[in-house]
């Protein structure tokens, strides 16, 4: 990369990812809110279905030896089990898998997906406060939105630092971006699917 390129791009890789996912994030945020997940437990349960599907599709990535070698506590960061327990708390069946899950991505692409999954824990700090209004908490029904061990901010900081310090080729940088964008698109599909499968009570 030349000095000129450096000047035109965000200094850090994670900042570039923030930048390119800003629009998809705003859209997804609006879509989540459009489904009024905090109005009723039934609506919230649909949101948990989407979260469970998303997390369960990422289990292989969170446990991938090559990725675990980069982020030591990666397996513990996965929230598939927490979301599954939330479904049980909410008397909601574990949904069947939805076609189109990420499959055998490259390492860089996988990191893009994980960036989105890990980043979503930041928004979760706001969401769990709303879930409390439905009588839910990080030990019942909203476990997957709970504060991770070691703290939300610290967990994110460590993940981002690792990501920013990796040596990646130009091709891998592009794969990373693709992974992050694909992850937002996928969550959008799963959210729509989750709210489509059971009609929202009026
Ligand atoms: C599947 C992925 C994601 C979903 C479903 C999601 C959802 C949301 C929602 C619904 C909010 C609004 C909370 C509120 O206003 O009550 C929010 C806020 C937030 N999210 Fe995300 N998010 C995702 C990924 C990310 C990523 C990748 C990052 C960071 C890189 C991030 C960072 C934040 C932050 C900092 C907030 C708080 C305030 C703000 O809007 O800036 N989220 N998120």
């Amino acid at each position: 990369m030349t000095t000129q390129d450096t000047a035109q791009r965000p200094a850090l890789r994670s900042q570039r990812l923030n930048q390119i996912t800003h629009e998809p994030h705003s859209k997804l945020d609006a879509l989540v809110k459009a489904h009024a997940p905090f109005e009723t437990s039934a609506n919230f349960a649909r949101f948990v279905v989407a979260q469970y599907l998303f997390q369960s599709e990422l289990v292989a990535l969170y446990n991938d030896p090559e990725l675990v070698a980069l982020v030591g506590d990666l397996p513990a960061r996965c929230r598939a089990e927490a979301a599954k327990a939330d479904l049980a708390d909410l008397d909601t069946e574990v949904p069947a898998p939805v076609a189109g899950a990420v499959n055998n991505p490259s390492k860089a692409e996988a990191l893009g997906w994980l960036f989105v999954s890990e980043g979503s824990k930041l928004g979760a700090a706001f969401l769990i406060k709303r879930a409390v209004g439905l009588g839910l908490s990080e030990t019942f029904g909203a476990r997957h939105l709970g504060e991770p061990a070691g703290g939300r901010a610290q967990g994110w900081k460590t993940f981002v630092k690792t990501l920013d310090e990796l040596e990646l080729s130009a091709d891998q940088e592009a794969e990373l971006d693709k992974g992050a964008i694909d992850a937002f698109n996928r969550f959008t599909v799963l959210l729509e699917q989750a709210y489509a499968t059971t009609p929202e009570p009026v």
Side-chain angles (χ1 to χ4, degrees), residues 14 17-18 21-22 25 28-33 37-38 47 51 54-55 79 112-128 130 156 160 180 183-184 187-188 191:
S14 57
L17 287 172
N18 277 332
T21 60
H22 181 78
H25 184 270
L28 187 54
D29 178 356
L31 191 67
V32 167
K33 287 172 180 161
F38 303 106
F47 176 69
Q51 291 273 44
F54 188 69
Q55 286 297 311
R79 289 169 292 155
W113 282 82
L114 292 172
F115 173 86
V116 173
S117 177
E118 287 301 298
S120 74
K121 292 177 177 174
L122 299 175
F126 296 82
L127 301 179
I128 196 161
R130 308 277 314 272
W156 178 240
V160 161
F184 272 102
F187 195 94
T188 305
L191 193 71

Side-chain angles (χ1 to χ4, degrees), residues 33-202:
K33 287 172 180 161
H35 286 292
F38 303 106
E39 218 150 275
T40 63
S41 294
N43 281 8
F44 183 70
R46 295 292 106 203
F47 176 69
V48 179
V49 164
Q51 291 273 44
Y52 170 75
L53 287 168
F54 188 69
Q55 286 297 311
S56 61
E57 292 178 358
L58 300 184
V59 168
L61 273 51
Y62 274 101
N63 291 285
D64 181 286
E66 209 187 337
L67 297 168
V68 174
L70 299 175
V71 183
D73 65 349
L74 198 57
R77 289 173 176 260
C78 185
R79 289 169 292 155
E81 284 306 312
K84 194 174 187 178
D86 289 335
L87 290 173
D89 294 340
L90 296 161
D91 289 326
T92 300
E93 274 183 36
V94 174
V98 176
V102 58
N103 181 23
N104 209 8
S106 68
K107 184 180 79 171
E109 223 175 322
L111 285 165
W113 282 82
L114 292 172
F115 173 86
V116 173
S117 177
E118 287 301 298
S120 74
K121 292 177 177 174
L122 299 175
F126 296 82
L127 301 179
I128 196 161
K129 288 189 184 141
R130 308 277 314 272
V132 169
L134 293 169
L136 307 174
S137 69
E138 60 181 35
T139 55
F140 185 84
R143 301 162 198 258
H144 78 282
L145 300 175
E147 174 101 27
R152 241 179 252 284
Q154 193 53 45
W156 178 240
K157 227 171 114 179
T158 315
F159 179 82
V160 161
K161 186 169 187 291
T162 304
L163 184 64
D164 283 334
E165 287 174 357
L166 288 178
E167 292 277 342
L168 297 181
S169 68
D171 282 353
Q172 286 177 314
E173 296 288 1
E175 289 170 25
L176 181 69
D177 290 0
K178 180 181 183 298
I181 297 292
D182 286 351
F184 272 102
N185 288 336
R186 183 63 181 163
F187 195 94
T188 305
V189 167
L190 296 176
L191 193 71
E192 295 292 33
Q193 169 85 20
Y195 282 96
T197 37
T198 297
E200 287 171 36
V202 217

